[in-house]
Amino acid sequence: MNVDELCVNTIRMLSADCVQRANSGHPGLPMGAAPMAYVLWTRFLRHNPSNPNWPDRDRFILSAGHGSMLIYSLLHLTGYDLSLDELKNFRQWQSLTPGHPEFHVTKGVETTAGPLGQGFANGVGIAIAERFLASHFNRPEHEMVNHHTYGIVSDGELMEGVTHEAASLAGHLKLGKLIYLYDDNHITIEGSTDIAFTEDPMARFEAYGWHTQQVADGNDLKAIEEALTLAREEQSRPSIVAVRTIIGYGSPNKQGTASVHGEPLGEDEIKLTKETIGWPVEPDCYIPDEALSQFRQALDNGKGLEAEWQKSFKAYEEAYPELAAEWTQWSNGDLPGDWDRDIPVFPADEKGMATRASSGTVLNAIAQNVPNLLGGSADLAPSNKTFLKGEGVFQGDQYGGRNFHFGVREHGMGSIMNGMALHGGVIPYGGTFLIFSDYMRPPIRLAAMMGLQVIYVFTHDSIGVGEDGPTHQPIEHLASLRAMPQLTVIRPCDANETAEAWRFALQNKGPVALALTRQGLPTLDREKYAPPAGLLQGAYILKEGQGGNPDAALIASGSEVHIALDAAGKIEEKGFSVRVVSMPSWELFDLQSDDYQEEILPKDLKACVAVEAGVSQGWHRYLGNRAAVVGIDHFGASAPAKTLYEKFGITAQRVVEEAMQLLD
């Protein structure tokens, strides 16, 4: 057995043994894909196991995250800080080897992968960020950014719709530094892919504008190396190499079957497999010294690659000190000093403007001073107000543009934004209608799980959409997004709260969803009402009741704050003291101290009414015992916005009636 075969079989059996120890996992992919992974990691991947975060490293994504033991084996074998004991602790409590790879948990894992197709689309975003940063920072004879994004993808992922969206955009953008190896094993959980997947995927990728190749034998290391060499030479198209593999290769009774996809081989089959490929039956998780020595060459190679880059960066600092300082700032995720100096303060205006419009004004003001803020819309920029004036469009012949045309691809947009954030150095945002956040839930959830700084500009946030009707009127969407852990949802009530929402989003290190109106809203007179900076506490007393000891509190977000203010005036005419609370963000309010929460919403209020043009679900947690919610627990209708608010009872009069019932 030569050293290459020894190394490949080490990956196979180390992975299979660890899955068997856990009695849970997917041994088939690591066993079948081991040869292509070995060639990629030892002959092409530019990385430094001693410093997994070296900026100009190549990125590797195991998009087929169910085969996670493959990347864990590669990380350990090449010298990352991932011990053999951690591999043996696969899928166990608090291990560094969870069931699917998790960003921030395991050093060397570039993204949380598992939901099929997400890693594929993340890679597109990573490649986009690489090209943008290269365009911004590289200078003649000083190439600070020049790396590839590699991935291993599966049959299941090529079926998922998100990969179609992302692949189409990647081909359009000519992302030549994006290279995927397709583990073409023809097996999914239910059996052969012939039962549901009979298209020619390589023809599809050719139509997308990709460079495609096929390797007929997944164990042919030379053919895999030649294909990767050609892929690296291709500069104007992303590349995909279909490698025909056998899932669970080496297992005499299970290779090529669905059973090896998602369950351990079993003790007897593990033994038979080792005997079949000439591997020691004992001990389990055996790593031959010769194989380990071959893999561990990555340590010295990686240190040398990074040292060479660091030397180049020092020369870059001398030649371009301002750019070098900016590079460090962007890489660290820091904002420039006085970055928010041009955020406007909007004057009081009874007519006012839609918060989508004020958002566009604020976004452009911030973008002048935060040059790594970039993004766009899913073909809705004129409606979302997400276009950065004078900043150009990111295209295949212009990678310095900061505006993105994501096309009608919400799912792909969300996943690509995650990839941009994962790469580092940029702050991505993306816009669509709030109703279409449904299409984006998988990447929003993963952004929240990974703590990525991505900003969602969700406009047309209620029945205020009007005549477009119930298909376009979000009802349950605010509640749905609020249910997601670690996502901050903000629904500002006017232009100045919108400015504060953007201020928070730029400073926050996790994902933020802005819910913005289509219809115009009055810009409140902040000499009469509390300052908009109260938004940063999630909820604040916008207008105190007469005498400062309120009988009732009216709580609202977004466009319904103005309804609450109108209602408060009518109730006070009846002799009661009424406090109005603007509550743009539940999540930010929940972070405040118990004392602050009690100060804003005392438990002994005689009446508490919440008003929001969405489902009432969740509001009662803030309202106490004597409470009511004025909301919409049904779908909308097609009519002018004003008519809908009246017909559905989202009115000041309805709020007054509910409050008076409680007060009486």
Side-chain angles (χ1 to χ4, degrees):
M1 190 179 298
N2 62 39
V3 67
D4 288 337
E5 187 179 2
L6 190 69
C7 288
V8 169
N9 284 336
T10 298
I11 297 171
R12 284 178 170 141
M13 296 320 304
L14 180 59
S15 299
D17 276 340
C18 290
V19 170
Q20 189 62 44
R21 287 175 69 94
N23 197 29
S24 174
H26 302 255
L29 183 148
M31 296 173 73
M36 70 172 88
Y38 169 68
V39 171
L40 174 60
W41 275 63
T42 60
R43 301 178 190 176
F44 291 90
L45 195 68
R46 298 172 68 255
H47 63 123
N48 181 8
S50 300
N51 181 12
N53 296 320
W54 165 42
D56 202 38
R57 68 191 181 279
D58 288 339
R59 270 62 168 181
F60 172 77
I61 297 170
L62 181 63
S63 188
H66 55 276
S68 56
M69 267 312 306
L70 176 63
I71 191 169
Y72 298 148
S73 295
L74 291 165
L75 291 171
H76 171 72
L77 291 169
T78 56
Y80 283 78
D81 186 14
L82 187 67
S83 69
L84 184 58
D85 286 340
E86 287 291 349
L87 269 64
K88 293 179 179 179
N89 207 27
F90 179 55
R91 289 193 165 210
Q92 303 309 301
W93 173 251
Q94 293 188 331
S95 75
L96 299 181
T97 49
H100 292 81
E102 293 185 33
F103 181 65
H104 282 327
V105 170
T106 313
K107 292 179 180 179
V109 168
E110 300 283 3
T111 186
T112 296
L116 292 179
Q118 292 299 319
F120 181 111
N122 292 166
V124 175
I126 290 171
I128 285 172
E130 190 273 344
R131 289 292 79 198
F132 174 78
L133 294 171
S135 176
H136 185 82
F137 286 107
N138 288 354
R139 294 294 183 271
E141 300 182 10
H142 292 276
E143 200 167 53
M144 292 298 95
V145 185
N146 182 16
H147 51 266
H148 284 77
T149 300
Y150 297 98
I152 291 180
V153 304
S154 64
D155 290 296
E157 292 182 284
L158 297 197
M159 298 184 207
E160 286 285 1
V162 67
T163 62
H164 295 243
E165 295 183 23
S168 176
L169 186 60
H172 169 75
L173 294 176
K174 306 177 191 247
L175 299 175
K177 290 187 176 294
L178 179 64
I179 300 173
Y180 285 152
L181 292 166
Y182 164 32
D183 180 30
D184 184 17
N185 64 43
H186 291 202
I187 293 292
T188 59
I189 289 175
E190 292 185 354
S192 169
T193 54
D194 290 342
I195 63 176
F197 188 55
T198 52
E199 67 187 59
D200 181 348
M202 292 302 99
R204 168 157 56 91
F205 276 85
E206 287 177 12
Y208 287 147
W210 286 55
H211 173 231
T212 66
Q213 300 177 77
Q214 298 188 58
V215 173
D217 179 1
N219 291 309
D220 188 340
L221 304 187
K222 182 179 179 182
I224 294 169
E225 182 174 7
E226 289 174 351
L228 283 169
T229 298
L230 289 174
R232 280 181 59 90
E233 291 173 354
E234 174 61 50
Q235 298 295 308
S236 61
R237 291 178 292 172
S239 292
I240 187 167
V241 182
V243 183
R244 184 67 176 96
T245 62
I246 299 175
I247 193 170
Y249 181 87
S251 170
N253 298 306
K254 293 192 174 184
Q255 71 173 24
T257 69
S259 66
V260 78
H261 181 285
E263 59 189 54
L265 292 175
E267 295 290 354
D268 292 342
E269 189 67 15
I270 282 273
K271 181 179 179 181
L272 287 173
T273 302
K274 290 178 178 178
E275 291 172 347
T276 298
I277 67 173
W279 202 255
V281 174
E282 296 292 342
D284 69 345
C285 302
Y286 169 64
I287 302 174
D289 290 341
E290 188 178 0
L292 188 62
S293 177
Q294 174 82 348
F295 281 112
R296 290 287 165 90
Q297 291 179 27
L299 284 168
D300 287 339
N301 291 340
K303 290 176 182 175
L305 288 168
E306 183 176 357
E308 183 180 343
W309 183 87
Q310 293 289 358
K311 181 180 178 181
S312 298
F313 185 70
K314 288 182 178 179
Y316 183 75
E317 282 184 305
E318 294 178 2
Y320 304 100
E322 292 183 1
L323 275 175
E326 190 175 51
W327 166 271
T328 301
Q329 180 191 94
W330 291 16
S331 299
N332 292 338
D334 297 331
L335 294 168
D338 297 330
W339 65 272
D340 57 352
R341 63 182 178 272
D342 293 322
I343 293 180
V345 175
F346 295 88
D349 182 357
E350 184 59 33
K351 181 180 178 182
M353 64 178 73
T355 52
R356 62 168 174 161
S358 55
S359 169
T361 300
V362 174
L363 170 61
N364 271 273
I366 292 172
Q368 295 176 27
N369 302 314
V370 184
N372 59 334
L373 176 64
L374 59 158
S377 176
D379 196 51
L380 290 168
S383 289
N384 299 148
K385 311 300 181 186
T386 50
F387 196 83
L388 301 181
K389 297 172 184 176
E391 294 297 341
V393 176
F394 187 98
Q395 291 287 5
D397 57 355
Q398 175 51 263
Y399 290 134
R402 294 168 63 190
N403 289 289
F404 285 81
H405 295 302
F406 287 106
V408 188
R409 303 183 180 101
E410 281 89 355
H411 196 172
M413 177 179 72
S415 305
I416 288 167
M417 287 165 61
N418 285 354
M420 294 164 70
L422 284 161
H423 182 282
V426 299
I427 304 172
Y429 68 87
T432 187
F433 293 172
L434 179 58
I435 193 80
F436 300 135
S437 64
D438 283 342
Y439 290 149
M440 297 177 64
R441 283 194 66 84
I444 295 173
R445 184 174 189 269
L446 287 169
M449 193 177 295
M450 291 187 275
L452 302 181
Q453 187 178 20
V454 292
I455 303 169
Y456 308 106
V457 183
F458 292 137
T459 66
H460 298 59
D461 70 343
S462 72
I463 56 170
V465 171
E467 292 86 345
D468 279 342
T471 61
H472 282 55
Q473 292 166 4
I475 300 296
E476 74 280 15
H477 295 74
L478 288 168
S480 176
L481 291 172
R482 287 167 178 159
M484 192 177 293
Q486 298 173 205
L487 171 69
T488 302
V489 182
I490 306 178
R491 188 171 184 242
C493 76
D494 74 348
N496 287 307
E497 272 198 3
T498 302
E500 293 300 324
W502 271 104
R503 192 187 309 275
F504 173 81
L506 266 291
Q507 294 174 307
N508 188 53
K509 296 304 181 184
V512 175
L514 306 179
L516 307 168
T517 67
R518 177 197 185 192
Q519 71 273 29
L521 302 179
T523 303
L524 297 175
D525 183 349
R526 294 296 172 162
E527 293 186 2
K528 180 179 178 182
Y529 299 111
L535 174 141
L536 301 176
Q537 279 71 52
Y540 63 104
I541 300 170
L542 182 64
K543 185 198 81 69
E544 185 56 285
Q546 295 173 356
N549 187 23
D551 300 301
L554 307 182
I555 313 167
S557 77
S559 48
E560 288 70 67
V561 168
H562 308 276
I563 293 173
L565 286 169
D566 188 10
K570 297 179 186 299
I571 298 169
E572 289 191 333
E573 289 175 359
K574 300 177 184 294
F576 294 96
S577 176
V578 182
R579 170 182 293 178
V580 176
V581 174
S582 176
M583 193 170 187
S585 176
W586 292 11
E587 295 78 21
L588 294 181
F589 186 62
D590 289 344
L591 292 175
Q592 307 310 310
S593 67
D594 291 343
D595 288 344
Y596 180 82
Q597 293 184 27
E598 174 65 19
E599 176 188 345
I600 302 302
L601 297 174
K603 294 183 177 63
D604 60 356
L605 286 169
K606 296 176 184 177
C608 202
V609 180
V611 53
E612 185 173 70
V615 293
S616 59
Q617 177 181 325
W619 271 105
H620 287 89
R621 63 187 287 194
Y622 298 109
L623 303 184
N625 295 325
R626 297 185 58 77
V629 180
V630 175
I632 306 176
D633 291 310
H634 53 78
F635 293 119
S638 181
K642 183 178 180 181
T643 301
L644 292 172
Y645 271 83
E646 291 173 353
K647 295 296 185 182
F648 293 152
I650 311 297
T651 63
Q653 184 57 39
R654 169 79 184 286
V655 175
V656 171
E657 292 169 1
E658 294 289 346
M660 291 308 300
Q661 285 186 18
L662 296 169
L663 289 169
D664 289 342

